[in-house]
Amino acid sequence: MDNVSLSNTTVKICNMREASFLLPVCTILAIVTLVTLCGNVLVIISIAYFRQLHTLTNYLVLSLAVSDLLIGIMVLPFVIFLFVTPCSPLHDVLCRVRGFFDMLLCLASILNLFCICIERYYAVCQPLSYQTKINSRIILGMIFMVWSLSSVLSFVLTFGGNKSKERCAIVQILKLSVIAAVIAFHIPFVVMFTLYMKILLVVRRQARSIHTASLSDGVSKAERRATLMLAMVIGVFFICWAPVSICATYQPFNHFSLPLKVMEIFKFLAWLNSMLNPFIYAYSHSLFRSAFRFILMGKIYTKIGPNARLQ
């Protein structure tokens, strides 16, 4: 009798699980997923199609867009499914799979951004040695290291820690959550912020130089565009990832006292980073705006070719 009552109670909880929030939460997640997919597909097509966008920086941007796109394909749909079906027989397995891809793709996204910052540092601060230190082979090596390191770390951090006994949540509480936060946020942000401050000082110094402005005006404009894009990407990255990363660092030392719903909201904010990056490219870089316009208007299927002049 007790077992029957317990079973009936469990079914009732599953059927009534946050019913008043189910529709709005799933609607918001579906919209974020759709916008993430569309925005990053635009970035990938733009860089792959238009030769004017075939630069070393944009190869790293392409890798970043792929990781953000895969978050929209392999993470957010899992989140929606697990939220809607908390008592599915495959819930625990899908929870682990979602957790692995979440860690893998979020790490790849952050490390791609880290590599973009390094490339910009050499381009602006050490232009004379840029050609020898940064080339297509080095960029491909960076991309390979990003995805290899992300795969290894995500496996260790996902399966090496003990998951909480609570239901599969958007945020999984691991014993290794502090290590994950340090690797995925604290170290990359400190390094990126330091490099960007150096880049900003050099750009301001170049802007004051009459010789630089007169001899390489086109080059300096291109560098300023890329630097502006980097600044916005780093700023949005900090806004989106700081809350969940700081809380993940703080939680183990405070007996995991922070409500799980708060952590889930912060994690959702972190996923927004993958949706916002394409808008940053469009806002800060006129070439991306032109490419997006050509694609959305269907001009790439007419007389427009990959050699089209973007303005």
Side-chain angles (χ1 to χ4, degrees), residues 52-53 55 57-58 61 116 119-120 123-124 196 199 203 206 216-233 280-290 309-311:
Q52 196 172 346
L53 292 175
T55 65
T57 305
N58 287 341
V61 171
I116 292 173
E119 188 274 336
R120 285 292 84 208
V124 176
Y196 178 70
I199 292 171
V203 169
Q206 289 178 347
S216 56
D217 184 60
V219 175
S220 60
K221 283 183 179 179
E223 300 298 347
R224 285 197 297 269
R225 281 200 303 263
T227 302
L228 172 62
M229 183 176 71
L230 174 63
M232 296 183 66
V233 168
I280 296 174
Y281 308 144
Y283 177 80
S284 61
H285 208 306
S286 60
L287 297 184
F288 276 106
R289 288 199 299 273
S290 297
R309 184 69 180 173
L310 300 175
Q311 299 178 351

Side-chain angles (χ1 to χ4, degrees), residues 4-291:
V4 174
S5 299
L6 182 60
S7 177
N8 291 336
T9 302
T10 303
V11 172
K12 185 177 180 180
I13 291 173
C14 287
N15 291 334
M16 296 179 62
R17 179 182 181 272
E18 303 176 8
S20 60
F21 296 98
L22 190 61
L23 181 59
V25 169
C26 290
T27 301
I28 293 172
L29 284 171
I31 293 173
V32 170
T33 301
L34 182 62
V35 176
T36 300
L37 294 175
C38 294
N40 286 287
V41 164
L42 278 176
V43 175
I44 292 170
I45 294 175
S46 298
I47 297 175
Y49 185 80
F50 293 103
R51 287 181 181 152
Q52 196 172 346
L53 292 175
H54 290 184
T55 65
L56 295 180
T57 305
N58 287 341
Y59 291 145
L60 292 171
V61 171
L62 177 62
S63 180
L64 175 62
V66 169
S67 62
D68 289 339
L69 175 67
L70 290 177
I71 288 176
I73 294 175
M74 305 180 74
V75 177
L76 295 179
F78 271 110
V79 173
I80 297 174
F81 178 79
L82 291 169
F83 188 81
V84 173
T85 60
C87 294
S88 169
L90 298 176
H91 199 263
D92 290 340
V93 175
L94 293 178
C95 180
R96 281 286 186 169
V97 172
R98 193 274 303 167
F100 171 74
F101 284 113
D102 186 17
M103 182 69 72
L104 165 64
L105 298 172
C106 287
L107 271 173
S109 181
I110 293 170
L111 292 178
N112 275 311
L113 178 56
F114 181 77
C115 290
I116 292 173
C117 193
I118 293 176
E119 188 274 336
R120 285 292 84 208
Y121 170 78
Y122 278 104
V124 176
C125 300
Q126 300 187 24
L128 297 180
S129 60
Y130 179 80
Q131 295 292 336
T132 57
K133 292 186 177 181
I134 304 293
N135 51 48
S136 57
R137 183 173 56 84
I138 297 296
I139 293 296
L140 290 176
M142 284 183 176
I143 294 173
F144 176 78
M145 286 300 298
V146 162
W147 288 96
S148 299
L149 186 60
S150 298
S151 300
V152 173
L153 288 177
S154 60
F155 183 85
V156 173
L157 294 173
T158 301
F159 298 101
N162 292 329
K163 188 178 64 173
S164 68
K165 294 182 180 180
E166 299 188 45
R167 64 177 174 80
C168 179
I170 288 178
V171 178
Q172 307 210 15
I173 306 302
L174 306 174
K175 286 183 176 179
L176 300 178
S177 59
V178 176
I179 299 176
V182 170
I183 294 175
F185 175 78
H186 297 292
I187 293 176
F189 178 74
V190 169
V191 175
M192 287 189 293
F193 183 78
T194 302
L195 291 179
Y196 178 70
M197 287 295 99
K198 292 182 179 180
I199 292 171
L200 185 61
L201 290 174
V202 171
V203 169
R204 286 183 174 179
R205 194 181 308 126
Q206 289 178 347
R208 297 191 191 102
S209 173
I210 298 176
H211 296 290
T212 301
S214 60
L215 296 177
S216 56
D217 184 60
V219 175
S220 60
K221 283 183 179 179
E223 300 298 347
R224 285 197 297 269
R225 281 200 303 263
T227 302
L228 172 62
M229 183 176 71
L230 174 63
M232 296 183 66
V233 168
I234 292 177
V236 172
F237 163 74
F238 178 79
I239 293 172
C240 291
W241 277 97
V244 69
S245 299
I246 293 173
C247 289
T249 307
Y250 168 79
Q251 277 280 68
F253 299 103
N254 198 46
H255 307 291
F256 303 101
S257 60
L258 192 68
L260 190 59
K261 288 187 180 296
V262 175
M263 290 292 292
E264 289 182 335
I265 292 173
F266 288 161
K267 181 58 180 177
F268 176 76
L269 180 62
W271 283 327
L272 288 181
N273 189 213
S274 296
M275 182 190 76
L276 294 174
N277 280 336
F279 292 97
I280 296 174
Y281 308 144
Y283 177 80
S284 61
H285 208 306
S286 60
L287 297 184
F288 276 106
R289 288 199 299 273
S290 297

